[in-house]
Amino acid sequence: MKTANKTALSVNLNKIALIRNSRAGNYPNVVTHGEICIKAGADGLTVHPRPDQRHIRPHDVYELSELVNGYPDIEFNIEGNPYADSVGDFPGFIKLVKDVRPHQCTLVPDSNDQLTSDHGFDLKIAGEKLRPLIHELQDFGVRVSLFMDPDIEQISLAKAIGADRIELYTGPYAEHFKLQGEYFNQLFETYRTAAIHAQSIGIGLNAGHDLNLDNLRYFRKVPELLEVSIGHALTVDAIAMGLVPAVQAYKQLCSE
C-alpha cells in the first residue's frame, strides 16, 4: 500500500454504519460509501466489528470484502478484539477474519463493552496467548498488526511473538497536540523513538485514533509510517466538506 515518502490512508467506516443503525433500513449504505472513499483516493477500508453490532455488522464485513476484491490495489483491514466470541448472529471476531481473509487484521485489546479503543496491548501479559493466534492468521494469508502504545520494550515483544506490524495508539498525541508545550514535545519524541525502534527491528508501523486534519501533518514526521486508519474525524469533516473532499483532504496530507 505504501509508496516512497507516502503514508497509506485507510478509511474507517464505523461511523457510517453507526448512522445507518440509528434508523431501520440500509441508509446510508456502508458499501456504497466505502466505494465512494475508494474512488476519492483512499488506499484501504477499515472496519471494527463488535459483538454488540452498534456500528459494523457481520454482513458489512462480507459485503465490503467483496467490494475490495474488485479493486486490486485497495486493502481491507479488520480490527477488533481477538477474543470476541459468538453472540447471537455475531459469529465471533476470528471467524469473520478467517471467512473473508482480509489483507490485514489489527488485533486490539478491547473489552466487549468498551466505548472505543484506548490503550495498547501489554504483551508481558497477553503475548503468549496471542502468539499462536498471530501465526494462525498468518497461515490464512492475513498480515497481523497489534494495537500498541509507543513503548520500545512492548514493540520488541510484538516482534518476538511474530506480529508483522504494530498500530501506534495516537489518542494521547491527539489530546496533547491541542495544548502543545514541552510535554507535547516530549510525548511526540516518544512516538518518534518508537517508530525508529520499530524500523530497526523490522516491524511495520501503522497509526490511528483521533488523528485529524489539524494533527495528521505533524504526526507524519514520524519515520516510516506505512498507514493511518481514520474514521471519526473524517466522518465529522465529511458533514461540513462532503465525503469526497474530506477523503481527498486526508489523502493529500498522507501524500505530502
Side-chain angles (χ1 to χ4, degrees):
M1 288 178 68
K2 180 178 182 289
T3 57
N5 301 317
K6 295 183 179 181
T7 299
L9 170 66
S10 187
V11 176
N12 189 314
L13 297 170
N14 284 10
K15 293 302 164 66
I16 301 296
L18 182 69
I19 295 171
R20 177 201 59 196
N21 295 353
S22 67
R23 294 283 185 92
N26 189 29
Y27 182 74
N29 185 296
V30 174
V31 176
T32 298
H33 282 71
E35 188 161 32
I36 291 171
C37 292
I38 291 171
K39 291 182 176 179
D43 301 289
L45 301 176
T46 291
V47 293
H48 188 142
R50 288 183 163 94
D52 62 12
Q53 301 186 50
R54 62 180 181 262
H55 36 63
I56 290 295
R57 293 172 174 167
H59 70 83
D60 297 318
V61 176
Y62 296 114
E63 292 169 9
L64 287 166
S65 178
E66 290 184 10
L67 170 69
V68 171
N69 286 341
Y71 291 88
D73 295 330
I74 301 300
E75 287 201 350
F76 191 31
N77 173 48
I78 303 177
E79 63 180 24
N81 174 11
Y83 308 116
D85 293 325
S86 173
V87 178
D89 61 354
F90 181 79
F93 179 79
I94 294 300
K95 174 69 161 57
L96 279 173
V97 174
K98 289 181 178 179
D99 281 350
V100 305
R101 303 190 185 189
H103 302 86
Q104 178 173 269
C105 176
T106 302
L107 303 180
V108 182
D110 278 347
S111 61
N112 286 347
D113 59 353
Q114 196 165 324
L115 178 64
T116 187
S117 307
D118 61 10
H119 63 281
F121 278 107
D122 181 350
L123 296 180
K124 293 179 181 178
I125 297 172
E128 288 310 308
K129 187 177 179 181
L130 283 171
R131 184 195 297 269
L133 181 56
I134 290 170
H135 295 311
E136 184 179 6
L137 292 175
Q138 290 168 335
D139 287 343
F140 275 82
V142 178
R143 182 174 68 235
V144 179
S145 179
L146 300 181
F147 198 65
M148 302 294 295
D149 298 311
D151 181 296
I152 287 177
E153 183 181 11
Q154 292 286 341
I155 292 169
S156 293
L157 290 172
K159 175 67 174 179
I161 63 173
D164 301 293
R165 293 189 186 183
I166 58 167
E167 178 177 330
L168 287 179
Y169 167 52
T170 51
Y173 161 82
E175 178 183 357
H176 290 281
F177 179 84
K178 295 176 287 188
L179 304 174
Q180 296 293 312
E182 184 58 31
Y183 179 75
F184 170 76
N185 294 333
Q186 294 172 5
L187 179 64
F188 182 75
E189 183 62 22
T190 300
Y191 281 92
R192 195 183 74 85
T193 301
I196 292 170
H197 179 67
Q199 182 184 7
S200 73
I201 63 174
I203 192 167
L205 183 70
N206 300 339
H209 205 89
D210 291 339
L211 294 174
N212 59 36
L213 291 175
D214 293 326
N215 62 38
L216 178 57
R217 177 182 284 108
Y218 192 88
F219 193 79
R220 285 200 65 240
K221 294 181 180 181
V222 165
E224 295 300 315
L225 181 59
L226 298 175
E227 175 187 298
V228 291
S229 175
I230 302 177
H232 181 86
L234 192 152
T235 306
V236 172
D237 288 325
I239 295 172
M241 302 169 64
L243 182 56
V244 170
V247 172
Q248 290 173 339
Y250 280 92
K251 177 69 174 180
Q252 177 64 31
L253 289 179
C254 288
S255 301
E256 291 177 350

